[in-house]
Amino acid sequence: MRKKILYGLLSVFPLLTVASCASLDLEPVNIVNEEDSFGNESAILAHFATLYGGILMEDFDFSSEGYQNARLEYYTGYGVARYNDDWIDESGKNTYIGGGMGSEWLNYTMIRTVNEFMVNLDKYASNFTPEQVARWKSEARVIRAWYYWSIAKRYGGMPIITEPQPVDVDNPESMMVPRASEKEMWDFIISEIDQAIEDGLAETAESVGRIDIYTALALKARAAIYAASIARYNSPIEGIGNYVDPDTGKQVCGIPASDAEYYYKIAFDAAKEIIKSGKYSLARGLSSDGADNFALLFQDPTKHNEDIFVKQFQYPALTHWWDYYHLPAPWGQSWYDNPTLDLVLMYEKLDGNKDELAEIGEWGPEIPSPDYYFTGRDYRFAGTCYYPGGPFPGGDGTFDIRRGLIEESGSVYDGTGQATIGGNQYNIRGTYGMGEWFETQTGFLCRKYILESNIANVSASQPSDQAWIAIRYAEILLIAAEAAAELGTDEENIGLDSINDIRTRAGLKETGTLTVDEVRKQWVCEMVFENQIFWCMRRWRTLDTKLTDNFKCKGVQPFWDPVRDIWKIKVVDACRYPKTSFQNRYYYGWINTSFIATNPQIKQNYGY
């Protein structure tokens, strides 16, 4: 089974592996002269290690501020942090969603690096066969397209530079390039991928960690679906609907609505080509239990053929802290990504009956067990979340989570320590606590990507190294389905078949109708906690309606009556501050003023 493991290249270059975690603003150190560095295939591999290391991979460590603290899911309503760290919307201010949203990724240093690489490949082409040069340039072209993709979805149109700019200290204005239109940005990304494929990009990656045609097509599908959404949904948004550079007159934020179908068709065709290749499939058969099957696909991508592009971690050179910050004590601190009730209610009941959990109000009726409302759902729910009374890989195998105790008389014990009920003493909280520091705020914890076979080894001194699936086949199916639904035409029923492939793997019945609402729901259920849903909501332009009007995501608090052995569920606000003031400007990031200072031709985005 062929695997493309991003950063696999870096395992050959330990110093580069370490350097990839450092600031990407730094100029690389020249260890050998230019001619020698393009003298043989090993030298070319070293260059590619640098280029791949420059890709902004939104993986385990990625967050809204950069590589720390607040997570992207906090802006979707589907995840929250521990209570004292829920400051993303303090006093009605979306403190981090504007400004540096998404790591302020404007890395023209890496763009220059790839431009220089392509020029030097031509310069020293005699050292290699024409086929090698064409293939390597094509690979570099897709990497450059990935760089621009990371910029475009954050800022809209920005300067497009495809050649190393000569440094002229006497005429610095010669290096100052104004912003392209947003349409020009997306067209450039798509055309770069098309050119790479036409020029000889490898159909099968020549070694582990390399881009091939299918990785490129997946990136093309991503870019086109994003551009299509902007064309369809951005125009009505006040302020950014048609924001132009006052000097050039170019629409740097937004794409004409008339272009929507053009981009949806590009996205559909790129996804179709991957689907028709037959090289990928949804992971099935990893476990006879549907929820475990879904969870296992994230724990070891070598066991299935759903991954299209993967970032490989390897202890001790390249690690992360996903397990530690998502598991409860004694293994970790469940600090990040507590799934919310808003998310849970997205997962359908497998029997098709109404969801009682959605109708219980503040206090639900008496129920026989804490998992009463949570079993029998879409497999992806239990594959994504640990829930009250559900299976758990540590302790006695049960996620023993409760807020407190209750008595038949109506008395409620909500605190820490013990309480005496019916002559016996009981712990008020469950094994894994709730509501205190490093404990779940919602009653749920994130299961996705937890390496459950290694839970005994997780600690504050032991980072993890399971891989991050950067692109997986499920995303391609969702893009095909979304494009078909938006187009209103479904060539060869590919869109409907794609959404039903997604649904049946989740244990759901097939649907006979392909709708935009259904596709968006499946995006959430399938891709939550993979740093995808925020970007989907951003391109759909739904955040201004979601994160407003004092919106507060919800959680559950289970209470146990130990005398009668019955339970009640309380529904509570799970975030510290309401979401009150999402501003339209937040759909595009703030351009760092230091970047503008070096090039005054760059005009700031609307509202900053």
Side-chain angles (χ1 to χ4, degrees):
M1 187 178 296
R2 178 174 52 85
K3 298 293 174 187
K4 294 163 287 300
I5 311 296
L6 181 63
Y7 289 69
L9 286 167
L10 298 182
S11 64
V12 185
F13 303 97
L15 292 177
L16 286 173
T17 301
V18 175
S20 71
C21 300
S23 171
L24 298 180
D25 295 330
L26 300 177
E27 292 284 347
V29 177
N30 292 318
I31 301 174
V32 295
N33 64 49
E34 180 185 280
E35 184 176 1
D36 289 343
S37 73
F38 285 85
N40 54 58
E41 291 187 46
S42 295
I44 296 299
L45 187 63
H47 281 289
F48 271 120
T50 299
L51 300 185
Y52 277 101
I55 292 176
L56 176 61
M57 195 60 56
E58 295 168 0
D59 53 34
F60 296 111
D61 298 317
F62 183 80
S63 73
S64 60
E65 294 176 83
Y67 286 81
Q68 58 183 326
N69 299 326
R71 313 289 294 189
L72 288 182
E73 225 60 75
Y74 302 169
Y75 303 107
T76 66
Y78 301 128
V80 297
R82 62 177 183 168
Y83 185 79
N84 286 335
D85 284 319
D86 182 28
W87 27 238
I88 63 172
D89 200 12
E90 185 173 355
S91 302
K93 299 176 183 177
N94 286 280
T95 311
Y96 296 101
I97 200 168
M101 182 66 242
S103 197
E104 294 186 22
W105 207 90
L106 272 173
N107 201 331
Y108 279 85
T109 296
M110 286 308 303
I111 289 172
R112 181 181 181 90
T113 299
V114 74
N115 289 342
E116 290 175 338
F117 173 77
M118 293 173 71
V119 168
N120 284 327
L121 261 181
D122 286 335
K123 184 176 179 180
Y124 299 102
S126 61
N127 292 330
F128 312 102
T129 68
E131 292 76 17
Q132 285 177 314
V133 173
R135 188 168 64 249
W136 292 335
K137 283 188 69 175
S138 295
E139 189 174 352
R141 196 180 293 275
V142 178
I143 292 172
R144 184 172 64 186
W146 202 318
Y147 294 166
Y148 276 106
W149 142 259
S150 297
I151 293 172
K153 69 179 184 176
R154 287 167 171 79
Y155 304 103
M158 292 297 288
I160 296 174
I161 301 172
T162 59
E163 298 286 343
Q165 292 178 292
V167 177
D168 187 347
V169 294
D170 296 322
N171 184 23
E173 290 79 10
S174 65
M175 298 182 65
M176 297 178 184
V177 180
R179 297 177 67 174
S181 70
E182 180 164 7
K183 176 177 170 55
E184 287 173 331
M185 282 286 283
W186 293 113
D187 286 346
F188 172 72
I189 293 164
I190 292 166
S191 66
E192 281 288 274
I193 294 169
D194 286 342
Q195 190 68 55
I197 293 173
E198 181 181 335
D199 287 350
L201 184 65
E203 183 171 0
T204 300
E206 60 184 83
S207 64
V208 170
R210 308 286 285 275
I211 286 170
D212 63 16
I213 284 176
Y214 299 101
T215 310
L217 285 168
L219 182 61
K220 179 180 177 181
R222 276 183 169 181
I225 201 73
Y226 207 105
S229 300
I230 300 305
R232 177 146 292 172
Y233 296 108
N234 185 71
S235 296
I237 306 294
E238 183 178 355
I240 63 170
N242 182 16
Y243 184 60
V244 300
D245 184 319
D247 292 339
T248 65
K250 289 188 174 184
Q251 186 178 354
V252 293
C253 294
I255 298 173
S258 58
D259 288 327
E261 291 194 4
Y262 167 74
Y263 290 113
Y264 281 124
K265 186 62 166 63
I266 292 174
F268 181 86
D269 288 345
K272 174 187 173 182
E273 189 167 349
I274 297 171
I275 293 167
K276 288 289 190 178
S277 75
K279 291 181 176 290
Y280 305 97
S281 59
L282 294 182
R284 287 181 163 93
L286 300 177
S287 171
S288 59
D289 181 272
D292 288 344
N293 179 80
F294 189 69
L296 285 168
L297 84 86
F298 299 98
Q299 297 179 34
D300 186 355
T302 67
K303 302 295 186 182
H304 56 78
N305 203 33
E306 185 167 339
D307 63 293
I308 294 176
F309 207 64
V310 175
K311 177 175 178 179
Q312 185 68 42
F313 290 78
Q314 186 176 34
Y315 183 86
L318 192 62
T319 59
H320 57 81
W321 295 93
W322 184 268
D323 298 278
Y324 180 73
Y325 282 120
H326 288 79
L327 287 168
W331 306 280
Q333 300 178 355
S334 48
W335 192 341
Y336 295 148
D337 297 326
N338 295 172
T340 64
L341 179 58
D342 308 69
L343 173 63
V344 176
L345 292 174
M346 296 289 285
Y347 294 100
E348 299 174 36
K349 299 287 287 185
L350 293 175
D351 58 12
N353 291 333
K354 70 177 182 180
D355 194 342
E356 297 175 82
L357 182 59
E359 301 177 351
I360 64 174
E362 182 181 3
W363 279 96
E366 295 179 352
I367 53 177
S369 61
D371 64 353
Y372 176 81
Y373 291 115
F374 308 114
T375 57
R377 291 182 181 271
D378 176 331
Y379 296 150
R380 292 169 299 182
F381 164 62
T384 301
C385 307
Y386 296 121
Y387 58 90
F392 184 70
D396 67 359
T398 301
F399 189 48
D400 177 23
I401 187 80
R402 68 173 180 270
R403 178 71 184 199
L405 303 171
I406 53 173
E407 292 185 283
E408 187 174 9
S409 64
S411 298
V412 176
Y413 300 86
D414 179 359
T416 57
Q418 294 186 320
T420 301
I421 301 178
N424 295 312
Q425 280 196 325
Y426 299 93
N427 291 328
I428 295 176
R429 296 282 168 86
T431 302
Y432 301 114
M434 186 174 187
E436 305 299 325
W437 280 67
F438 307 124
E439 297 175 351
T440 176
Q441 304 300 308
T442 64
F444 309 99
L445 290 180
C446 179
R447 181 184 185 186
K448 185 175 281 189
Y449 272 116
I450 297 296
L451 186 57
E452 295 181 332
S453 62
N454 189 55
I455 188 173
N457 297 318
V458 176
S459 71
S461 60
Q462 185 66 37
S464 304
D465 66 354
Q466 61 266 39
W468 176 266
I469 305 176
I471 306 175
R472 61 186 178 97
Y473 183 60
E475 180 185 352
I476 303 307
L477 296 177
L478 289 165
I479 290 173
E482 181 178 343
E486 291 280 7
L487 286 167
T489 59
D490 189 9
E491 182 182 321
E492 300 180 52
N493 285 327
I494 285 175
L496 184 60
D497 289 346
S498 294
I499 211 66
N500 281 329
D501 200 5
I502 293 282
R503 286 181 62 87
T504 56
R505 199 259 296 269
L508 303 172
K509 296 178 181 178
E510 290 189 354
T511 179
T513 307
L514 183 64
T515 67
V516 172
D517 286 345
E518 167 65 12
V519 174
R520 289 184 179 185
K521 178 179 181 179
Q522 295 308 322
W523 268 107
V524 174
C525 294
E526 184 73 28
M527 306 299 293
V528 70
F529 302 121
E530 296 179 56
N531 288 327
Q532 291 265 19
I533 305 308
F534 169 80
W535 296 112
C536 286
M537 296 176 72
R538 203 181 201 206
R539 64 183 173 84
W540 295 332
R541 298 305 193 234
T542 56
L543 290 170
D544 60 304
T545 55
K546 181 70 175 285
L547 302 183
T548 190
D549 296 332
N550 291 310
F551 168 79
K552 277 195 170 187
C553 50
K554 302 293 184 181
V556 299
Q557 294 180 345
F559 287 80
W560 179 44
D561 179 340
V563 174
R564 296 182 298 148
D565 194 22
I566 61 94
W567 293 76
K568 294 186 75 173
I569 296 291
K570 184 180 182 182
V571 176
V572 297
D573 291 334
C575 55
R576 185 176 184 182
Y577 299 106
K579 311 299 182 287
T580 60
S581 61
F582 183 93
Q583 299 176 42
N584 293 342
R585 65 177 180 170
Y586 296 150
Y587 281 124
Y588 291 93
W590 166 76
I591 301 172
N592 196 305
T593 51
S594 64
F595 189 84
I596 295 174
T598 62
N599 181 4
Q601 290 201 49
I602 302 296
K603 305 305 177 185
Q604 183 60 270
N605 272 332
Y606 168 80
Y608 293 106

